[in-house]
Amino acid sequence: MPDQTVTRAPEASADSSSSARAGARDPGARAERALRRRRLLTGRGAIMVWALLATLLVCALTVPRFASVQTTGFLLLDAIPILMIAMPMALVVITGEIDLSVASTAGLTSATMGVLWAAGWGIPEIFVVCVLIGVVCGALNGALVTTIGLPSLAVTIGTLALYRGLALVVIGDDAVANFPPGLTSFFTSKIGGTGIPTVMIGVVVVILFFGVLLHFSSFGRALPAIGFSKEAASFVGVHVGRAKFWMFVSTGVVSALVGIYWTLRYSSARSDNATGIELAVIAAVLLGGVSIFGGRGSIPGVVAGVLIISSISYALRLGGISDVVLNVVTGLLLVGSVVTPSLISVVREKTRARRAARAVLARSAEHA
């Protein structure tokens, strides 16, 4: 037996080496690797990264004080809520759904946080309760969509009003602002002299989590299939309802974390905190390459989309532009991010049709 083992091991090694060489020589494998490299450099996510770099360059050259450490700090502090919520929102939209209640969930979390702090609760216990509120809010949305089968647009419009109303019931028109100074200063502190907020470390963890989940896990790779066709995804063994349910739970949890961040950054717990940021989140997600119809999207593209919108907004604010114009710009970016892919698809389809027609005419001329 030892002799046999010794003589077979080199054969197995030789077989594996020869199969590896055969795979390297396979034209199909080389073409697939080349296609992946081309998509990495020219895909929608890569295009958005290049667009972000171009936006930062233009703003730095044309807007006074934009290229500064202070700008980095304030821009990222403003972008953090949108950046965090955009991560689970991207996955929800990829599955063909949407969640408009995220800002209201953050507001309800903020209101609850203020009331519990005023009642003498400790910060750790308050954080746990706030996360549980996010779980409940997300689970309610997910259950109404996946169990009862209601449209997510209608459900989350309803819960948008419900959660905001509950926030008003919880805290009323009052505001709680006596949070621990050390805690509030931490949420606005910077990493050394870079201007990068310290809490960006946690935000990067959230981005990496959802990036790995979408692009490198079997669960995440099934989400675009759900967006393309629920029936086809179910046929190949994907648990569509379960996947969508947990996506709504994730938006609820991250929205609760945003509510905590918002409260401690501004040291104020109010029922109207985070009002209106759902528009900026959806605009950033769609601008970042996620299809409004589901089935397509990437986390790097969404991150770039968020930073593009935040950079443009901050540059306009430095230029003295009013918030009304900022809302108009956000709306235009939202409309453009929806319309542009459709226009590109129409142009490509017409070009393909013209080429096919020319090929048919050429063949007809040859036969004639």
Side-chain angles (χ1 to χ4, degrees):
M1 290 298 292
D3 293 337
Q4 293 176 353
T5 305
V6 171
T7 56
R8 287 177 184 173
E11 293 176 1
S13 177
D15 290 342
S16 61
S17 299
S18 61
S19 62
R21 286 194 298 270
R25 290 194 299 268
D26 184 11
R30 287 200 303 270
E32 183 178 352
R33 287 195 295 269
L35 179 61
R36 288 177 180 174
R37 287 194 296 267
R38 188 162 60 249
R39 285 179 177 173
L40 184 64
L41 296 175
T42 62
R44 180 66 184 269
I47 291 173
M48 294 311 303
V49 172
W50 295 120
L52 171 62
L53 295 176
T55 301
L56 293 175
L57 180 61
V58 170
C59 291
L61 293 176
T62 59
V63 180
R65 304 185 308 278
F66 185 86
S68 65
V69 173
Q70 290 78 11
T71 292
T72 301
F74 286 115
L75 191 154
L76 289 177
L77 284 173
D78 290 342
I80 282 173
I82 301 171
L83 189 56
M84 289 184 64
I85 297 178
M87 295 300 101
M89 181 70 80
L91 273 61
V92 169
V93 177
I94 286 173
T95 63
E97 306 292 348
I98 198 167
D99 188 351
L100 298 177
S101 66
V102 288
S104 297
T105 302
L108 176 58
T109 302
S110 177
T112 304
M113 189 175 178
V115 169
L116 294 180
W117 175 252
W121 285 47
I123 290 296
E125 294 84 0
I126 292 175
F127 283 2
V128 171
V129 171
C130 289
V131 172
L132 289 176
I133 289 174
V135 171
V136 172
C137 291
L140 177 59
N141 289 335
L144 292 175
V145 172
T146 61
T147 303
I148 302 179
L150 299 175
S152 58
L153 179 63
V155 167
T156 56
I157 286 177
T159 53
L160 177 153
L162 172 63
Y163 299 158
R164 189 65 70 178
L166 288 175
L168 189 59
V169 170
V170 167
I171 200 170
D173 294 327
D174 299 330
V176 177
N178 60 335
F179 293 98
L183 192 60
T184 56
S185 62
F186 169 78
F187 276 79
T188 56
S189 63
K190 309 297 192 301
I191 301 175
T194 63
I196 300 174
T198 306
V199 291
M200 276 300 298
I201 298 173
V203 176
V204 170
V205 172
V206 173
I207 293 171
L208 291 176
F209 172 80
F210 284 100
V212 171
L213 180 65
L214 177 61
H215 298 294
F216 300 102
S217 71
S218 57
F219 175 83
R221 286 192 291 267
L223 298 181
I226 297 173
F228 277 119
S229 172
K230 294 185 296 184
E231 292 76 14
S234 299
F235 182 76
V236 298
V238 177
H239 298 284
V240 174
R242 185 187 305 171
K244 288 187 176 183
F245 175 82
W246 286 112
M247 288 302 94
F248 279 105
V249 172
S250 69
T251 59
V253 171
V254 175
S255 297
L257 296 178
V258 168
I260 294 172
Y261 166 79
W262 196 288
T263 302
L264 294 178
R265 180 198 170 183
Y266 295 104
S267 189
S268 177
R270 299 172 53 90
S271 62
D272 59 351
N273 276 354
T275 298
I277 65 169
E278 65 272 7
L279 176 62
V281 170
I282 295 170
V285 167
L286 299 183
L287 182 64
V290 178
S291 173
I292 187 63
F293 304 107
R296 186 178 72 248
S298 71
I299 293 300
V302 172
V303 172
V306 172
L307 295 179
I308 287 174
I309 291 179
S310 298
S311 300
I312 294 174
S313 298
Y314 194 78
L316 293 176
R317 195 175 293 117
L318 282 177
I321 306 299
S322 67
D323 290 339
V324 175
V325 177
L326 296 180
N327 291 333
V328 171
V329 171
T330 303
L332 289 175
L333 290 174
L334 176 57
V335 173
S337 60
V338 174
V339 173
T340 302
S342 299
L343 291 177
I344 293 174
S345 298
V346 170
V347 171
R348 286 178 176 173
E349 190 62 33
K350 288 184 177 180
T351 304
R352 202 175 294 119
R354 282 196 298 268
R355 288 176 179 173
R358 283 197 297 266
V360 170
L361 291 174
R363 286 194 297 267
S364 300
E366 289 176 0
H367 291 302

